[in-house]
Amino acid sequence: YNIWRCAVSLRENLEKLPVEHWKNERVKIKPVLTQDDLIYATYDCQLTDEQKELVNPAWFSIGRAYLCRENNYPCIIYNESDEPIGFINFSKWLAEGEAVSWSYYIDVRQQGKGYGKSAARLAIDILKAAEPGVMIKLAAETFNTKAHELYKSLGFRKLDEMDGDDYVFGL
């Protein structure tokens, strides 16, 4: 039995969603499909040194998608002018219970403009449409209070479980 496999993959469910599910008033999300997307995600999209300690780099998520394509879906986040501004990877939550998740970041040059919260709201809408009734779980370092506050503002609650040494939030 392979824990990475499910009856219908997260990728299949995401790819079935109509295009209007992939955008809101501020941002849109598109899958990594081209060499330019790959270069943006792994090289051009930058974080502060502190932020690099808090999230998986894009190459890690893209590598995971290569090894387990059906349950990982790496994408680029774009602003309203169709400029790439960040990276997001949708994934199955493989710890305790059935759930879906995402990890993401906004390029340091685009931070502080509200794109992060808009992208998180859009990610919630996308996952709810693709996997209705399935819990969304997010993990954050215990000291990453900025992420904790963001997740709580989006309706997540801190769960009584840990992912390694990270707090887990559920919606």
Side-chain angles (χ1 to χ4, degrees):
Y1 178 73
N2 183 343
I3 63 169
W4 295 86
R5 293 211 172 269
C6 299
V8 177
S9 76
L10 175 61
R11 177 178 288 272
E12 288 173 312
N13 288 340
L14 289 168
E15 288 179 344
K16 288 178 191 173
L17 292 178
V19 69
E20 61 268 13
H21 281 282
W22 292 91
K23 60 185 177 181
N24 64 21
E25 66 286 342
R26 299 278 332 271
V27 298
K28 64 180 117 180
I29 296 175
K30 300 178 190 175
V32 171
L33 296 175
T34 68
Q35 182 173 312
D36 287 343
D37 293 341
L38 193 59
I39 290 168
Y40 174 77
T42 60
Y43 181 73
D44 293 337
C45 188
Q46 294 294 309
L47 298 173
T48 66
D49 288 340
E50 179 186 351
Q51 291 168 329
K52 288 176 185 175
E53 300 298 318
L54 301 175
V55 296
N56 287 328
W59 60 261
F60 180 83
S61 296
I62 292 167
R64 247 191 200 164
Y66 174 78
L67 294 172
C68 182
R69 180 175 164 76
E70 61 269 6
N71 289 321
N72 289 277
Y73 201 65
C75 298
I76 304 293
I77 304 166
Y78 294 84
N79 66 13
E80 57 274 84
S81 300
D82 211 28
E83 300 166 318
I85 59 164
F87 174 79
I88 186 166
N89 185 56
F90 296 100
S91 60
K92 283 281 190 184
W93 183 270
L94 297 175
E96 216 173 285
E98 183 183 11
V100 290
S101 187
W102 79 79
S103 60
Y104 82 128
Y105 51 85
I106 301 297
D107 186 293
V108 69
R109 295 159 293 210
Q110 298 294 333
Q111 292 176 13
K113 300 177 183 180
Y115 292 130
K117 193 166 193 171
S118 292
R121 285 188 178 125
L122 181 55
I124 291 168
D125 293 343
I126 288 168
L127 287 174
K128 283 184 173 183
E131 299 275 338
V134 175
M135 180 179 273
I136 300 171
K137 289 185 178 180
L138 302 173
E141 300 280 347
T142 55
F143 57 85
N144 189 352
T145 55
K146 191 171 181 177
H148 304 171
E149 293 307 313
L150 172 64
Y151 299 161
K152 289 176 186 175
S153 77
L154 295 166
F156 284 82
R157 63 183 170 78
K158 187 173 162 296
L159 302 178
D160 291 330
E161 68 181 84
M162 299 287 284
D163 182 30
D165 59 356
D166 294 351
Y167 289 144
V168 176
F169 295 82
L171 179 69

